[in-house]
């Protein structure tokens, strides 16, 4: 019986492993968005009167929509009633405010940018910003302090990302894949996601940290500044509920999601 042929002694078989991309390398849409926030923040170098004008024109001021104020005029005119639903999210009070929002956005925004692609990602950020502004308007209809900050969009990105973040192979699972693969695992059905104790626990920590550190869209007038919690909630629920409209990845069936979740927990033991 012939024995299996063997390669010559000087022949070496080399098996190359596919490169494993770091999970938090930034896709270009997120890099462009962060660069835009940083560029816009250079407005703090403007003379005080111009900086204040920028806040008045592009910040979100609920009093602007008060129809009972016949003689009160705001900078920006009628157009500001439209664009400030989004533009307020591109402004920040100071470098710390900007840094907190960017740091919160990096893991969730990176996954969403890879999953959605550039156009969907930018539209999603705009929609969640508008939802946060609407929530702030409903609850602070007579406020004259401008609201600024990207936290409504950050909250929306986080809410959307948790729909798939803990699924086996995704970026917060025990057995995650490379960045692109991790961002494109099938998402959990909404009610299944809200029953996952890891997701519930994560949300509890997130809300607690928000309370402690005061991350959020804030006013810019000294002692009157405060955290716009309603904007956070508006952006969060918009991201959670509208995720399906933006998501190009096919849905996972409920029992498949349960199997994946159970397997992921087993792998982590």
């Amino acid at each position: 019986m012939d024995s299996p042929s063997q390669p010559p002694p000087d022949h070496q078989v080399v098996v190359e492993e596919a490169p494993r991309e770091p999970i938090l390398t930034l896709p270009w849409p997120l890099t462009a968005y962060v660069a835009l926030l940083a560029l816009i923040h250079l407005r703090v170098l403007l003379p005080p009167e111009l900086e204040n004008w920028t806040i008045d024109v592009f910040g979100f001021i609920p009093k602007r929509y008060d129809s009972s104020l016949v003689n009160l005029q705001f900078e920006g005119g009628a157009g500001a009633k439209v664009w400030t639903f989004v533009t307020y999210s591109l402004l920040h009070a100071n470098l710390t405010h900007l840094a907190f929002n960017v740091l919160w956005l990096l893991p969730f925004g990176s996954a969403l940018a890879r999953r959605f692609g550039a156009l969907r990602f930018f539209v999603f950020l705009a929609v969640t910003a508008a939802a946060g502004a609407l929530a702030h308007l409903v609850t602070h209809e007579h406020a004259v302090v401008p609201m600024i900050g990207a936290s409504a969009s950050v909250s929306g990105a986080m809410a959307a990302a948790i729909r798939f973040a803990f699924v086996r192979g995704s970026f917060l699972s025990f057995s995650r894949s490379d960045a692109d693969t991790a961002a494109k695992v099938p998402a959990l059905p909404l009610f299944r996601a809200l029953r996952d104790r890891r997701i519930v626990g994560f949300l509890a920590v997130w809300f607690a940290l928000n309370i402690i550190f005061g991350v959020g869209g804030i006013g810019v007038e000294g002692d009157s500044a405060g955290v716009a919690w309603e904007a956070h909630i508006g952006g969060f629920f918009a991201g959670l509920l509208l995720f399906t409209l933006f998501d190009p990845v096919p849905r996972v069936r409920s029992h498949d999601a349960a199997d994946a979740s159970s397997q992921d927990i087993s792998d982590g033991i």
Side-chain angles (χ1 to χ4, degrees), residues 144-205:
V144 295
V145 177
M147 180 182 73
I148 60 175
S151 6
S153 295
V154 173
S155 298
M158 187 209 70
I162 63 172
R163 294 285 299 274
F164 61 90
F166 293 100
V167 174
R168 178 176 171 80
S170 193
F171 68 101
L172 290 182
S173 70
F174 289 116
S175 52
R176 61 178 177 265
S177 305
D178 63 273
D180 286 325
T181 303
K184 295 178 181 178
V185 300
L188 291 172
L190 178 58
F191 292 109
R192 168 67 190 172
L194 294 178
R195 292 197 303 268
D196 189 311
R197 65 176 179 267
R198 294 172 298 173
I199 292 176
V200 172
F202 185 83
L203 291 179
V205 171

Side-chain angles (χ1 to χ4, degrees), residues 81-131:
K81 291 185 177 182
V82 179
W83 65 60
T84 57
F85 269 89
V86 175
T87 56
Y88 82 93
S89 67
L90 303 177
L91 302 170
H92 291 83
N94 50 53
L95 192 58
T96 300
H97 185 203
L98 173 62
F100 266 122
N101 277 333
V102 169
L103 288 175
W104 268 112
L105 182 62
L106 290 183
F108 306 107
S110 179
L112 282 186
R114 294 176 189 279
R115 188 180 186 95
F116 287 172
L119 180 59
R120 283 188 180 95
F121 179 67
F122 294 138
V123 173
F124 177 84
L125 293 177
V127 168
T128 50

Side-chain angles (χ1 to χ4, degrees), residues 173-254:
S173 70
F174 289 116
S175 52
R176 61 178 177 265
S177 305
D178 63 273
D180 286 325
T181 303
K184 295 178 181 178
V185 300
L188 291 172
L190 178 58
F191 292 109
R192 168 67 190 172
L194 294 178
R195 292 197 303 268
D196 189 311
R197 65 176 179 267
R198 294 172 298 173
I199 292 176
V200 172
F202 185 83
L203 291 179
V205 171
W206 181 79
F207 279 111
L209 290 176
N210 270 265
I211 293 172
I212 294 170
F213 295 108
V215 179
I218 66 175
V220 293
E221 297 188 4
D223 294 338
S224 64
V227 177
W229 294 108
E230 296 82 2
H232 289 211
I233 294 171
F236 177 86
F237 280 106
L240 189 68
L241 299 176
L242 299 180
F243 167 77
T244 302
L245 298 180
F246 290 88
D247 189 22
V249 180
R251 300 270 71 74
V252 64
R253 293 172 296 179
S254 296

Side-chain angles (χ1 to χ4, degrees), residues 53-69:
W53 178 86
T54 302
I55 295 296
D56 290 339
V57 172
F58 298 104
F60 188 80
I61 306 174
K63 199 78 169 177
R64 199 192 303 270
Y65 305 89
D66 193 336
S67 59
S68 66
L69 302 176

